[in-house]
Amino acid sequence: MKVNESQHRGVFLEACLIRHSCAPNCYGMWNSKIGGYTVHALRDIEKNEELTLFLLEFDGPRANRQRSHIDKYGVACECQVCSLPTEENLTNDEKMKEINTLQRFVTRHDNKGPQLWPEKTLHCLDQLAQRCNQFDRRWARLYWEASNVAIVNSDLARWRVFHVRYMRYCINAYGDSKRVDNCRTLLADPSRHPGYCTSTRWKTAINTDPTQLLEGTTGERSLEDWLWRREKPLIPGKLMNFRERKYFPTFADVPMDNALDSDLTDITNSVKQPRRHWCLFGHFLGIGEDDGQTYIKLRDDDGQQFTVASPPVEDQWRQVDPPWTTGEYTVAILYPEKHKFEVEKKDDQKLEFIAINVTDVKRVQIFPISLQKFLELNDRVHQFSEEKDGFRTCWVATCRKKYSSSHFEGELCLKCYMYWLCPDCILLAEDDFGHEADCKRLTKPDMLMLLRLKWDEFRNHATFSLTGS
Ligand SMILES: [Zn+2]
Ligand SMILES: [Zn+2]
Ligand SMILES: [Zn+2]
């Protein structure tokens, strides 16, 4: 009988003696590289212990496995897992159902997860990983799926860790095979992966040392926490950092309004609800009109230009003072979504374009400062308001002294309550030490809202005040 890779047919006189188990100790497969059926141990095997393989079409709760086993072999499965006492079996069945649900979630909608809802997909894989024991045969697929999520989003540091783990599993379970060769080729040149860097949202360098990333973060974060991107809750009372892409995506990562799912939203009872607050910043480039429609051109922090088509806010754009032409502006849009517009042109041509659709005027605010300066202001807020390893940094440009906050008493600006002065500068009794411009911007209600909102807890939509900022 001829065996080929696409059909996998053959009679293997020795391997066919190996029985099925729902928790097998071996993995068997046709190895086209060496032209034979191979069986590799998935764990240490005791003397006289029976070798077993997983040979069913379906996995799941015991009843399903039994049906599948009887269909194939005419008798019920009597493996270790199927022989569990009722109580333990119920627990195991529960776990199997959870695993199946999680697996379905990972691959639903034609595997679009890695690109369109990577955070949820990786979280799901993490949940799966926590339900698998050390010798589970699901690890190969798990690490493979996780490595895909990472590489699609340019997270090469994570990809490397997942891929190496996947490769190690393959070497153990498949031995010298094409699959292992492919792993090695990919490790040497990840750009051969078909999904390589489709999005840049999680960009990391391939040679990043993960242990370096862990240092300096607050609290106990293990390598596994980092690897699976486990949620670290925002520290209450800490001012928000506008460079956190999780809450401040660039245009590329803003979801479509008709998206099946996204990392920013959840669908409960067919109603889409934000999972957290999010906001898009754009540097103002110009205002235009096309066939009577006003649109605004913006550029995000990645340099990507995009348009906001927004009839309801037209008046607001026009009221901006000073007029758009004389200054630099940053436009902040809360809960933005992309919409595909179709415009009928006069000559019967149809124009299609994707733009941000703003439907509620209270979700837009215009700050009279360039996006670059807006983000630099954000950086100063964190530099002068936060303690790092017990040290504060004095805000005065000519000082910038770092002082231990437990040994010296600094002074907080009594207008914005954000910037700290060092003990020496307090004595100089200057008026503002060049802080006034920042202080004024930081005390405007909408800026305070952006800095102080609990971004990870969504209860109601946040709104901007309708006055200028
Ligand atoms: Zn069984
Ligand atoms: Zn201040
Ligand atoms: Zn100072």
Side-chain angles (χ1 to χ4, degrees), residues 313 316-317 331-333 358 360-366 464:
V313 265
Q316 195 191 4
W317 305 122
V331 178
I333 306 163
V358 175
D360 183 348
V361 62
K362 286 190 182 145
R363 294 199 186 160
V364 180
Q365 187 51 283
I366 300 145
F464 288 116

Side-chain angles (χ1 to χ4, degrees), residues 20-22 65-66 77-79 81-82:
H20 162 85
S21 163
C22 300
R65 298 198 310 270
Q66 290 299 356
C77 178
E78 290 171 348
C79 80
V81 191
C82 290

Side-chain angles (χ1 to χ4, degrees), residues 293-466:
Q293 290 247 2
T294 309
Y295 61 88
I296 291 100
K297 270 237 169 288
L298 302 175
R299 187 183 59 222
D300 68 21
D301 190 35
D302 281 345
Q304 168 78 46
Q305 290 191 15
F306 62 98
T307 45
V308 181
S310 47
V313 265
E314 244 178 77
D315 288 347
Q316 195 191 4
W317 305 122
R318 304 225 180 271
Q319 278 166 17
V320 173
D321 183 45
W324 287 100
T325 43
T326 59
E328 292 184 310
Y329 302 92
T330 293
V331 178
I333 306 163
L334 286 165
Y335 318 104
E337 286 183 315
K338 289 179 200 157
H339 181 77
K340 188 170 166 189
F341 287 88
E342 281 177 26
V343 181
E344 301 270 355
K345 306 280 277 186
K346 281 173 194 135
D347 48 9
D348 273 353
Q349 295 266 328
K350 226 190 227 168
L351 181 72
E352 280 186 1
F353 62 97
I354 289 175
I356 300 290
N357 192 21
V358 175
T359 48
D360 183 348
V361 62
K362 286 190 182 145
R363 294 199 186 160
V364 180
Q365 187 51 283
I366 300 145
F367 296 90
I369 179 174
S370 73
L371 180 57
Q372 192 191 332
K373 286 180 186 151
F374 185 85
L375 291 173
E376 284 167 4
L377 172 63
N378 163 76
D379 296 343
R380 286 196 295 280
V381 166
H382 294 280
Q383 188 183 2
F384 304 133
S385 73
E386 283 165 17
E387 230 181 58
K388 273 203 183 80
D389 306 321
F391 284 83
R392 293 195 188 285
T393 308
C394 177
W395 89 58
V396 179
T398 49
C399 173
R400 293 286 149 92
K401 190 185 295 160
K402 292 196 194 312
Y403 60 98
S404 157
S405 51
S406 52
H407 290 85
F408 300 99
E409 204 145 326
E411 192 174 278
L412 197 56
C413 167
L414 294 177
K415 285 183 194 138
C416 64
Y417 295 96
M418 291 181 202
Y419 285 27
W420 284 84
L421 268 183
C422 78
D424 298 333
C425 289
I426 299 172
L427 301 173
L428 296 175
E430 288 255 353
D431 271 356
D432 64 50
F433 297 105
H435 165 61
E436 202 184 343
D438 282 5
C439 197
K440 264 193 180 151
R441 287 210 161 93
L442 294 172
T443 44
K444 297 265 172 140
D446 288 332
M447 184 64 103
L448 282 174
M449 184 275 278
L450 289 176
L451 284 166
R452 297 208 188 274
L453 185 68
K454 288 177 179 160
W455 287 85
D456 55 349
E457 284 175 29
F458 180 85
R459 292 212 174 83
N460 298 299
H461 287 93
T463 53
F464 288 116
S465 61
L466 281 175

